[in-house]
Amino acid sequence: LDDATPEQIVSTVLIRSLGNNGQVCIGLTRLLVPRHRYEEITSTVALAMSQLKLGNPMDPSNYIGPLFHEPQYNRVRNY
């Protein structure tokens, strides 16, 4: 990860952690980063996540749709 750009990391994190709204058996729940890049990477990922548009999955401008299975919703809320 020393040579990865923040943009490369964010792109990978978004695809791996939010594919199928995180309702997959291989969802990304941890990101290991070099200690000296921790602040840089966590702030970049947090900013990218905060800017995602949520809503109707039929609207192509939305990135994430709703969680429709209550047990999965509760599980995600506990992360």
Side-chain angles (χ1 to χ4, degrees), residues 2 5 13 23 30-32 39 43-45 54-55 58 61 68-70 73 77:
D2 278 335
T5 66
V13 167
Q23 299 180 87
R30 291 178 183 85
L31 182 61
L32 302 176
E39 289 299 325
S43 64
T44 303
V45 170
L54 312 175
M58 300 305 287
S61 70
F68 61 88
H69 187 59
E70 187 173 2
Y73 170 80
R77 294 283 300 172

Side-chain angles (χ1 to χ4, degrees), residues 16-68:
R16 298 290 181 233
S17 65
L18 300 175
N20 293 327
N21 284 351
Q23 299 180 87
V24 294
C25 61
I26 56 170
L28 176 68
T29 59
R30 291 178 183 85
L31 182 61
L32 302 176
V33 299
R35 198 177 300 270
H36 69 277
R37 293 194 69 191
Y38 177 82
E39 289 299 325
E40 171 195 18
I41 300 303
T42 55
S43 64
T44 303
V45 170
L47 177 63
M49 292 282 197
S50 72
Q51 295 175 341
L52 295 177
K53 188 172 176 192
L54 312 175
N56 184 338
M58 300 305 287
D59 180 345
S61 70
N62 293 329
Y63 193 85
I64 302 173
L67 291 171
F68 61 88

